[in-house]
PDB file of all heavy atoms in Angstrom:
ATOM      1  N   GLY A 114     -12.194  -0.449  24.773  1.00  0.00           N
ATOM      2  CA  GLY A 114     -12.688   0.928  24.622  1.00  0.00           C
ATOM      3  C   GLY A 114     -11.613   1.983  24.767  1.00  0.00           C
ATOM      4  O   GLY A 114     -11.909   3.173  24.688  1.00  0.00           O
ATOM      5  N   LEU A 115     -10.360   1.577  24.982  1.00  0.00           N
ATOM      6  CA  LEU A 115      -9.311   2.590  25.145  1.00  0.00           C
ATOM      7  C   LEU A 115      -8.128   2.323  24.217  1.00  0.00           C
ATOM      8  O   LEU A 115      -7.665   1.187  24.076  1.00  0.00           O
ATOM      9  CB  LEU A 115      -8.796   2.612  26.594  1.00  0.00           C
ATOM     10  CG  LEU A 115      -7.872   3.801  26.889  1.00  0.00           C
ATOM     11  CD1 LEU A 115      -8.666   5.100  26.990  1.00  0.00           C
ATOM     12  CD2 LEU A 115      -7.077   3.589  28.182  1.00  0.00           C
ATOM     13  N   ILE A 116      -7.657   3.413  23.602  1.00  0.00           N
ATOM     14  CA  ILE A 116      -6.435   3.373  22.797  1.00  0.00           C
ATOM     15  C   ILE A 116      -5.494   4.420  23.384  1.00  0.00           C
ATOM     16  O   ILE A 116      -5.930   5.519  23.728  1.00  0.00           O
ATOM     17  CB  ILE A 116      -6.747   3.764  21.319  1.00  0.00           C
ATOM     18  CG1 ILE A 116      -7.660   2.740  20.649  1.00  0.00           C
ATOM     19  CG2 ILE A 116      -5.478   3.989  20.498  1.00  0.00           C
ATOM     20  CD1 ILE A 116      -7.038   1.386  20.442  1.00  0.00           C
ATOM     21  N   ALA A 117      -4.217   4.082  23.523  1.00  0.00           N
ATOM     22  CA  ALA A 117      -3.245   5.101  23.939  1.00  0.00           C
ATOM     23  C   ALA A 117      -1.982   4.913  23.112  1.00  0.00           C
ATOM     24  O   ALA A 117      -1.389   3.835  23.116  1.00  0.00           O
ATOM     25  CB  ALA A 117      -2.948   4.987  25.432  1.00  0.00           C
ATOM     26  N   ASP A 118      -1.641   5.950  22.359  1.00  0.00           N
ATOM     27  CA  ASP A 118      -0.448   5.913  21.517  1.00  0.00           C
ATOM     28  C   ASP A 118       0.580   6.888  22.062  1.00  0.00           C
ATOM     29  O   ASP A 118       0.239   7.988  22.508  1.00  0.00           O
ATOM     30  CB  ASP A 118      -0.799   6.289  20.071  1.00  0.00           C
ATOM     31  CG  ASP A 118      -1.559   5.174  19.357  1.00  0.00           C
ATOM     32  OD1 ASP A 118      -1.517   4.019  19.836  1.00  0.00           O
ATOM     33  OD2 ASP A 118      -2.186   5.456  18.320  1.00  0.00           O
ATOM     34  N   ILE A 119       1.835   6.473  22.023  1.00  0.00           N
ATOM     35  CA  ILE A 119       2.918   7.296  22.581  1.00  0.00           C
ATOM     36  C   ILE A 119       3.745   7.890  21.451  1.00  0.00           C
ATOM     37  O   ILE A 119       4.220   7.159  20.571  1.00  0.00           O
ATOM     38  CB  ILE A 119       3.858   6.425  23.457  1.00  0.00           C
ATOM     39  CG1 ILE A 119       3.072   5.608  24.470  1.00  0.00           C
ATOM     40  CG2 ILE A 119       4.948   7.269  24.104  1.00  0.00           C
ATOM     41  CD1 ILE A 119       2.681   6.293  25.722  1.00  0.00           C
ATOM     42  N   TYR A 120       3.912   9.205  21.501  1.00  0.00           N
ATOM     43  CA  TYR A 120       4.805   9.910  20.569  1.00  0.00           C
ATOM     44  C   TYR A 120       5.812  10.665  21.427  1.00  0.00           C
ATOM     45  O   TYR A 120       5.515  11.766  21.893  1.00  0.00           O
ATOM     46  CB  TYR A 120       4.017  10.898  19.709  1.00  0.00           C
ATOM     47  CG  TYR A 120       2.952  10.249  18.854  1.00  0.00           C
ATOM     48  CD1 TYR A 120       1.604  10.384  19.159  1.00  0.00           C
ATOM     49  CD2 TYR A 120       3.302   9.502  17.729  1.00  0.00           C
ATOM     50  CE1 TYR A 120       0.625   9.784  18.362  1.00  0.00           C
ATOM     51  CE2 TYR A 120       2.329   8.899  16.934  1.00  0.00           C
ATOM     52  CZ  TYR A 120       1.003   9.044  17.258  1.00  0.00           C
ATOM     53  OH  TYR A 120       0.036   8.453  16.475  1.00  0.00           O
ATOM     54  N   GLY A 121       6.946  10.062  21.683  1.00  0.00           N
ATOM     55  CA  GLY A 121       7.944  10.723  22.540  1.00  0.00           C
ATOM     56  C   GLY A 121       7.367  10.952  23.925  1.00  0.00           C
ATOM     57  O   GLY A 121       6.960  10.012  24.611  1.00  0.00           O
ATOM     58  N   LYS A 122       7.251  12.219  24.318  1.00  0.00           N
ATOM     59  CA  LYS A 122       6.763  12.534  25.670  1.00  0.00           C
ATOM     60  C   LYS A 122       5.253  12.764  25.705  1.00  0.00           C
ATOM     61  O   LYS A 122       4.709  13.244  26.705  1.00  0.00           O
ATOM     62  CB  LYS A 122       7.470  13.807  26.169  1.00  0.00           C
ATOM     63  CG  LYS A 122       8.975  13.638  26.334  1.00  0.00           C
ATOM     64  CD  LYS A 122       9.289  13.314  27.769  1.00  0.00           C
ATOM     65  CE  LYS A 122      10.775  13.151  27.985  1.00  0.00           C
ATOM     66  NZ  LYS A 122      11.084  12.596  29.292  1.00  0.00           N
ATOM     67  N   THR A 123       4.602  12.501  24.585  1.00  0.00           N
ATOM     68  CA  THR A 123       3.161  12.744  24.535  1.00  0.00           C
ATOM     69  C   THR A 123       2.369  11.446  24.369  1.00  0.00           C
ATOM     70  O   THR A 123       2.742  10.601  23.559  1.00  0.00           O
ATOM     71  CB  THR A 123       2.818  13.696  23.366  1.00  0.00           C
ATOM     72  OG1 THR A 123       3.548  14.908  23.560  1.00  0.00           O
ATOM     73  CG2 THR A 123       1.328  13.989  23.279  1.00  0.00           C
ATOM     74  N   VAL A 124       1.305  11.332  25.146  1.00  0.00           N
ATOM     75  CA  VAL A 124       0.382  10.210  24.971  1.00  0.00           C
ATOM     76  C   VAL A 124      -0.882  10.764  24.330  1.00  0.00           C
ATOM     77  O   VAL A 124      -1.417  11.768  24.796  1.00  0.00           O
ATOM     78  CB  VAL A 124      -0.063   9.603  26.323  1.00  0.00           C
ATOM     79  CG1 VAL A 124      -0.932   8.367  26.109  1.00  0.00           C
ATOM     80  CG2 VAL A 124       1.115   9.284  27.197  1.00  0.00           C
ATOM     81  N   VAL A 125      -1.336  10.122  23.267  1.00  0.00           N
ATOM     82  CA  VAL A 125      -2.638  10.486  22.708  1.00  0.00           C
ATOM     83  C   VAL A 125      -3.609   9.400  23.141  1.00  0.00           C
ATOM     84  O   VAL A 125      -3.441   8.226  22.808  1.00  0.00           O
ATOM     85  CB  VAL A 125      -2.592  10.634  21.173  1.00  0.00           C
ATOM     86  CG1 VAL A 125      -3.964  11.055  20.653  1.00  0.00           C
ATOM     87  CG2 VAL A 125      -1.533  11.654  20.767  1.00  0.00           C
ATOM     88  N   MET A 126      -4.583   9.814  23.952  1.00  0.00           N
ATOM     89  CA  MET A 126      -5.509   8.854  24.543  1.00  0.00           C
ATOM     90  C   MET A 126      -6.861   9.003  23.849  1.00  0.00           C
ATOM     91  O   MET A 126      -7.331  10.121  23.662  1.00  0.00           O
ATOM     92  CB  MET A 126      -5.632   9.183  26.034  1.00  0.00           C
ATOM     93  CG  MET A 126      -6.156   8.069  26.883  1.00  0.00           C
ATOM     94  SD  MET A 126      -5.866   8.458  28.638  1.00  0.00           S
ATOM     95  CE  MET A 126      -7.345   9.350  29.015  1.00  0.00           C
ATOM     96  N   GLN A 127      -7.434   7.875  23.456  1.00  0.00           N
ATOM     97  CA  GLN A 127      -8.691   7.918  22.705  1.00  0.00           C
ATOM     98  C   GLN A 127      -9.688   6.930  23.299  1.00  0.00           C
ATOM     99  O   GLN A 127      -9.377   5.745  23.417  1.00  0.00           O
ATOM    100  CB  GLN A 127      -8.384   7.552  21.262  1.00  0.00           C
ATOM    101  CG  GLN A 127      -9.488   7.848  20.298  1.00  0.00           C
ATOM    102  CD  GLN A 127      -8.971   7.857  18.875  1.00  0.00           C
ATOM    103  OE1 GLN A 127      -8.567   6.814  18.381  1.00  0.00           O
ATOM    104  NE2 GLN A 127      -8.980   9.002  18.218  1.00  0.00           N
ATOM    105  N   ALA A 128     -10.861   7.465  23.664  1.00  0.00           N
ATOM    106  CA  ALA A 128     -11.914   6.583  24.194  1.00  0.00           C
ATOM    107  C   ALA A 128     -12.827   6.151  23.063  1.00  0.00           C
ATOM    108  O   ALA A 128     -13.201   6.959  22.211  1.00  0.00           O
ATOM    109  CB  ALA A 128     -12.720   7.317  25.253  1.00  0.00           C
ATOM    110  N   HIS A 129     -13.162   4.876  23.041  1.00  0.00           N
ATOM    111  CA  HIS A 129     -14.131   4.368  22.070  1.00  0.00           C
ATOM    112  C   HIS A 129     -15.394   3.895  22.777  1.00  0.00           C
ATOM    113  O   HIS A 129     -16.241   3.272  22.171  1.00  0.00           O
ATOM    114  CB  HIS A 129     -13.521   3.222  21.248  1.00  0.00           C
ATOM    115  CG  HIS A 129     -12.462   3.693  20.285  1.00  0.00           C
ATOM    116  ND1 HIS A 129     -12.654   3.750  18.932  1.00  0.00           N
ATOM    117  CD2 HIS A 129     -11.209   4.151  20.499  1.00  0.00           C
ATOM    118  CE1 HIS A 129     -11.569   4.218  18.343  1.00  0.00           C
ATOM    119  NE2 HIS A 129     -10.670   4.458  19.266  1.00  0.00           N
ATOM    120  N   SER A 130     -15.473   4.122  24.091  1.00  0.00           N
ATOM    121  CA  SER A 130     -16.695   3.759  24.819  1.00  0.00           C
ATOM    122  C   SER A 130     -17.003   4.868  25.823  1.00  0.00           C
ATOM    123  O   SER A 130     -16.078   5.511  26.346  1.00  0.00           O
ATOM    124  CB  SER A 130     -16.501   2.432  25.572  1.00  0.00           C
ATOM    125  OG  SER A 130     -15.608   2.620  26.654  1.00  0.00           O
TER     126      SER A 130
END
Side-chain angles (χ1 to χ4, degrees):
L115 190 74
I116 295 293
D118 287 342
I119 309 277
Y120 299 107
K122 296 264 181 191
T123 302
V124 185
V125 182
M126 200 166 89
Q127 193 163 66
H129 289 253
S130 70

